[in-house]
Amino acid sequence: MGYIKLIYYLVKNVLLGTKFPISVSIDVTNKCNLRCKHCYFFQQNHKKELSDKDLLRKIKQIKKKSPSIIHASWIGGEPLLRKDIVEKGLKLFPFNMVVTNGSMERPTWK
């Protein structure tokens, strides 16, 4: 089913002209359950995290402003520390990728 959906979006965009942007990366959290020495993430200064409600509202605003976005990358820190946010956000985009360190139990999302 995923390939059919992908082909549909590609054909639709090719026939109707590609609109941009088509992808977004969302920093779900600035927290991580690991503290790897080689990780670039903790070498950056991070602002205070948005509340769950405010983050979801912001993501919905981005999607509304740019309906051409068909792909979201869910990144962090460790995005599975805010699994509920990711789960709700997955429904907003037909294609999603969750970038995790693999140390937490993986949800059974499609």
Side-chain angles (χ1 to χ4, degrees):
M1 182 64 173
Y3 290 115
I4 293 170
K5 202 186 265 190
L6 176 61
I7 290 169
Y8 168 78
Y9 280 103
L10 290 175
V11 169
K12 180 179 171 187
N13 284 331
V14 169
L15 292 176
L16 300 176
T18 303
K19 295 176 178 58
F20 291 96
I22 60 169
S23 186
V24 64
S25 290
I26 300 165
D27 277 323
V28 180
T29 183
N30 60 17
K31 295 176 180 69
C32 183
N33 57 326
L34 303 177
R35 195 81 170 173
C36 303
K37 288 182 180 182
H38 64 275
C39 183
Y40 71 92
F41 193 79
F42 292 108
Q43 296 175 14
Q44 303 170 1
N45 293 325
H46 298 282
K47 296 179 181 177
K48 184 180 175 193
E49 286 187 352
L50 296 174
S51 69
D52 291 359
K53 183 179 176 181
D54 288 340
L55 180 56
L56 278 172
R57 185 172 349 122
K58 184 74 170 170
I59 294 167
K60 288 176 183 177
Q61 286 173 347
I62 291 168
K63 179 62 177 170
K64 185 175 181 179
K65 181 180 176 186
S66 300
S68 58
I69 296 173
I70 61 169
H71 174 266
S73 294
W74 302 89
I75 59 176
E78 172 50 63
L80 293 182
L81 290 173
R82 292 180 85 179
K83 181 171 54 173
D84 293 343
I85 296 293
V86 177
E87 189 165 356
K88 290 174 184 174
L90 292 174
K91 297 172 186 170
L92 298 172
F93 307 95
F95 303 102
N96 293 276
M97 176 176 61
V98 180
V99 181
T100 176
N101 61 33
S103 65
M104 299 181 71
E105 184 177 343
R106 192 177 63 174
T108 55
W109 300 323
K110 290 184 178 180

